[in-house]
């Protein structure tokens, strides 16, 4: 267990600071985790009791392919297993938190002739259902407190994962969440059938989902979705990430951190059954749409800029 003493996290098991490098008031270690590959779009590290996952591909607004979502799930499992970790912190880079599923990745899955599928159903079970259900499940059952640092907007599957976080901080009032399922020939995914009505109210969720309308800052604040706006309009995402981490370091000072995990387990028990149920229902409902081909047509229009979201 960690105690934050004189600017250092003391590891009570080994009776000395486990952390070797200090960045400002936050002690840091870039621990090599066994058994996990690297991913050029997503980095991770531990800082005291915080397991930090960062999206680091700002060039395409941190769009993620199927394999990247699987990687996120694997990182969550890693954080789950680490007894020194109490908080899993999601950070990003650049002007967007994440623009969701990568339309180039989806076109690649469709055009890949190296794999022969028995049927369209078999193809989309593998390219959509299995991946989606896995990463959503990893977020639903995660045992550490999930904190999201929204440096900018989040879209689609990535926005669904944001809605599964326990605490969300924003960098400024330009952030929004968009679930463009109706514009892309999809249905709700990533637990949003449950998480959005829960966090915004049923009718507000309907209005935004049916008409492809972004949840803008005002709604995010009024609903309590955003716990705190750091109000850093001219800062970089890196400055925002550092500021949040420093503040978190001060916030956990003196806390008995296992209590936080105990409370997470109890709070999670309120909705975990309905989230588990909907995860399976959502992907099974979506499968029909992928097999029919409408999402592919629409993702391809998005890639060629023939289709846009109304923001
Ligand atoms: C697994 C299946 C599940 C699917 C669920 C989903 O996640 S659905 C959501 C899918 N994502 C989207 O619909 C967002 C698509 N992007 C946009 O609508 C716009 O890019 C934007 C986010 C509104 C931002 O518009 P803006 O005009 O500010 O920027 P650009 O469009 O010029 O984008 C900058 C570069 O980023 C690339 N890019 C953006 N989003 C994606 C993406 N989802 N996939 C791949 N690449 C993306 C864009 O192509 C630009 O790159 P250039 O090389 O500069 O052209």
């Amino acid at each position: 267990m960690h105690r934050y003493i004189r600017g250092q996290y003391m590891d009570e098991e080994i009776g000395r600071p486990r952390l070797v490098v200090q960045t400002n008031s936050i002690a840091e270690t870039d621990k090599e985790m066994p058994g996990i590959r690297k991913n050029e779009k997503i980095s991770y590290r531990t800082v005291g009791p915080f397991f930090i996952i960062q999206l680091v591909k700002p060039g395409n607004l941190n769009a993620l392919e199927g394999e990247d979502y699987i990687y996120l799930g694997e990182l969550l499992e890693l954080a789950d297993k680490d007894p020194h970790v109490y908080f899993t912190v999601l950070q990003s880079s650049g002007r967007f938190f994440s623009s969701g599923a990568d339309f180039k990745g989806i076109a690649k899955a469709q055009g890949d002739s190296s794999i022969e599928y028995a049927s369209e159903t078999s193809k989309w079970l593998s390219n959509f259902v299995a991946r989606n259900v896995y990463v959503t499940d990893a977020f639903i059952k995660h045992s550490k407190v999930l904190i999201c640092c929204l440096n900018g907007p989040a879209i689609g599957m990535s926005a669904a994962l944001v809605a599964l976080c326990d605490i969300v901080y924003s960098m400024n009032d330009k952030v929004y969440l968009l679930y463009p399922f109706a514009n892309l020939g999809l249905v709700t995914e990533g637990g949003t059938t449950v998480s959005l009505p829960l966090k915004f109210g049923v009718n507000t969720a309907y209005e935004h989902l049916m008409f492809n309308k972004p949840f803008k800052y005002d709604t995010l604040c009024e609903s309590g979705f955003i716990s705190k706006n750091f109000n850093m309009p001219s800062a970089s995402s890196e400055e925002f990430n550092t500021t949040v981490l420093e503040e978190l370091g001060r916030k956990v000072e003196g806390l008995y951190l296992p209590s936080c995990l105990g409370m997470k387990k109890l709070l999670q028990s309120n909705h975990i059954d309905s989230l588990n149920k909907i995860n399976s229902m959502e992907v099974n409902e979506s499968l029909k749409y992928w097999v029919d081909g409408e999402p592919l047509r629409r993702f391809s229009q998005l890639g060629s800029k023939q289709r846009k979201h109304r923001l």
Side-chain angles (χ1 to χ4, degrees):
M1 216 213 55
H2 290 96
R3 273 184 204 286
Y4 189 72
I5 302 169
R6 289 187 298 277
Q8 283 190 313
Y9 290 97
M10 299 293 287
D11 190 322
E12 291 187 341
E13 270 171 35
I14 56 175
R16 60 180 161 74
R18 187 171 64 95
L19 307 157
V20 288
V21 187
Q22 281 206 275
T23 316
N24 300 320
S25 62
I26 296 283
E28 181 169 343
T29 177
D30 258 327
K31 201 170 59 164
E32 268 298 315
M33 305 273 179
I36 187 137
R37 65 206 144 79
K38 297 241 185 235
N39 176 309
E40 58 164 25
K41 297 179 209 164
I42 305 171
S43 72
Y44 67 92
R45 67 205 162 107
T46 51
V47 177
F50 306 107
F51 186 98
I52 300 159
I53 299 173
Q54 188 178 11
L55 308 183
V56 290
K57 193 82 190 297
N60 70 351
L61 311 182
N62 297 297
L64 299 174
E65 295 188 39
E67 281 300 330
D68 305 320
Y69 284 115
I70 292 176
Y71 189 71
L72 274 183
E74 289 176 296
L75 289 181
L76 256 60
E77 282 188 42
L78 209 55
D80 251 334
K81 284 186 200 137
D82 188 334
H84 303 290
V85 166
Y86 291 86
F87 301 88
T88 301
V89 182
L90 300 181
Q91 299 180 334
S92 190
S93 54
R95 64 189 174 97
F96 266 65
F97 179 80
S98 169
S99 62
D102 187 323
F103 39 66
K104 291 176 192 130
I106 289 170
K108 210 159 58 186
Q110 169 66 2
D112 188 356
S113 54
S114 66
I115 309 171
E116 230 175 83
Y117 294 99
S119 64
E120 281 295 295
T121 301
S122 168
K123 181 203 281 179
W124 293 111
L125 276 170
S126 162
N127 282 302
F128 168 74
V129 171
R131 294 166 176 190
N132 244 35
V133 89
Y134 168 73
V135 65
T136 305
D137 180 67
F139 273 74
I140 291 171
K141 71 178 183 210
H142 194 55
S143 66
K144 312 296 165 87
V145 181
L146 268 165
I147 300 178
C148 178
C149 307
L150 267 190
N151 56 309
I155 300 185
M157 185 58 186
S158 302
L161 300 179
V162 172
L164 289 173
C165 288
D166 305 312
I167 297 172
V168 178
Y169 296 128
S170 74
M171 177 160 127
N172 54 43
D173 60 7
K174 300 283 179 286
V175 302
Y176 63 80
L177 300 176
L178 177 69
Y179 301 91
F181 306 127
N183 200 24
L184 293 175
L186 292 166
V187 295
T188 34
E189 59 183 56
T192 47
T193 318
V194 167
S195 63
L196 299 186
L198 180 70
K199 298 200 169 183
F200 298 106
V202 177
N203 292 16
T204 300
Y206 260 95
E207 163 77 7
H208 287 74
L209 285 169
M210 298 304 141
F211 307 124
N212 199 39
K213 188 172 147 183
F215 290 87
K216 295 219 166 142
Y217 175 76
D218 286 352
T219 311
L220 295 172
C221 268
E222 280 157 22
S223 61
F225 188 100
I226 288 179
S227 307
K228 177 175 172 179
N229 175 14
F230 277 70
N231 200 16
M232 299 172 73
S234 46
S236 68
S237 53
E238 282 309 316
E239 285 168 319
F240 167 58
N241 291 336
T242 306
T243 304
V244 174
L245 210 53
E246 282 173 1
E247 182 164 314
L248 284 171
R250 290 191 293 275
K251 279 182 169 164
V252 300
E253 223 168 298
L255 298 181
Y256 183 63
L257 296 181
S259 293
C260 297
L261 296 192
M263 288 190 283
K264 159 94 198 211
K265 192 159 86 181
L266 293 167
L267 287 160
Q268 202 174 28
S269 72
N270 282 320
H271 309 291
I272 195 156
D273 292 343
S274 39
L275 282 166
N276 279 332
K277 177 176 152 202
I278 211 65
N279 189 17
S280 152
M281 285 176 69
E282 284 177 342
V283 288
N284 282 309
E285 181 66 25
S286 259
L287 181 60
K288 295 184 260 188
Y289 293 72
W290 286 104
V291 170
D292 170 61
E294 194 58 30
L296 266 183
R297 284 188 278 279
R298 289 177 177 244
F299 267 105
S300 127
Q301 291 166 349
L302 205 60
S304 58
K305 302 207 190 273
Q306 287 168 275
R307 178 171 295 276
K308 277 191 177 227
H309 298 308
R310 260 179 268 134
L311 297 170

